[in-house]
Amino acid sequence: MIMSGSASRLPILQEEPCAHAQRQAERAARALAQSEAICRAHRVRLTPIRRRVLEALYATHKPMGAYELAEYLTPPGGRMAPITVYRALDFLIEQGLVHKLASQNAYIASFHVDNAPETTAFLICEACGGVDETTSAELTYAVNSLLNREGFGPRAKLLEIMGRCAHCGGDAISRA
Ligand SMILES: [Zn+2]
Ligand SMILES: [Zn+2]
């Protein structure tokens, strides 16, 4: 039984699904199908363990840590070594199906928003825990110009921006 009083005092801590959870549920099946197509195009195998890790990540709108994934995927009475999860994650990251959020030390499944632009920004909401993957041609252009100017050879182009999503009151925070 949840006390209604505490929910109204701390609305951002409520465990009700946020807008991210709703959107994740709507988009997960399509994104998973896209990931499978990418594996076929790359001629690589989505082995059962790789698929289970990927499906676990698509099942939630929040980033998951490797140990959290291992625990989630452990069958009743069984055992799942974190190294097994790490290996699967390495593969999924290499194929561009999963991203590691360094700031969270956790992983999220890709929604493949970056069809043409190469730089992806992750908007990480510290209130609801949801992450939005987004990009634009302008962002990619700006980052590429900056990298050229600095003579820096990027291995990955991921931006992690922490704060509050629109749903959790991000609009109210001054961007000045
Ligand atoms: Zn939020
Ligand atoms: Zn959210």
Side-chain angles (χ1 to χ4, degrees):
M1 186 70 196
I2 295 161
M3 303 292 283
S4 59
S6 64
S8 62
R9 201 176 62 234
L10 297 168
I12 58 166
L13 295 179
Q14 66 194 358
E15 285 300 319
E16 282 166 35
C18 68
H20 287 103
Q22 173 75 24
R23 219 148 63 95
Q24 183 86 7
E26 288 166 8
R27 304 190 303 172
R30 188 170 160 269
L32 178 62
Q34 265 178 288
S35 292
E36 289 168 339
I38 288 168
C39 286
R40 284 195 297 274
H42 292 180
R43 296 180 184 283
V44 291
R45 258 189 85 221
L46 200 53
T47 58
I49 178 63
R50 291 167 176 174
R51 171 182 288 276
R52 286 177 66 206
V53 169
L54 189 60
E55 284 176 348
L57 289 172
Y58 275 124
T60 173
H61 64 289
K62 294 181 185 179
M64 283 178 94
Y67 281 83
E68 201 181 345
L69 275 163
E71 202 171 301
Y72 178 84
L73 294 170
T74 298
R79 193 175 158 273
M80 168 77 70
I83 185 71
T84 309
V85 173
Y86 277 118
R87 284 203 192 105
L89 285 168
D90 282 345
F91 167 86
L92 296 168
I93 290 168
E94 208 177 285
Q95 301 302 320
L97 312 181
V98 165
H99 302 295
K100 179 176 184 180
L101 298 178
S103 66
Q104 313 297 304
N105 195 23
Y107 305 83
I108 59 159
S110 178
F111 278 98
H112 311 296
V113 297
D114 48 349
N115 278 329
E118 308 151 33
T119 302
T120 308
F122 294 94
L123 311 181
I124 303 163
C125 180
E126 292 169 320
C128 68
V131 177
D132 286 309
E133 181 183 344
T134 185
T135 188
S136 73
E138 291 86 350
L139 175 66
T140 294
Y141 178 80
V143 169
N144 285 346
S145 308
L146 190 144
L147 293 172
N148 286 338
R149 195 186 70 201
E150 301 293 334
F152 190 89
R155 186 172 55 76
K157 294 190 234 177
L158 311 176
L159 293 179
E160 299 180 25
I161 300 172
M162 274 72 76
R164 284 192 180 215
C165 72
H167 191 73
C168 294
D171 288 338
I173 298 171
S174 166
R175 293 190 193 85

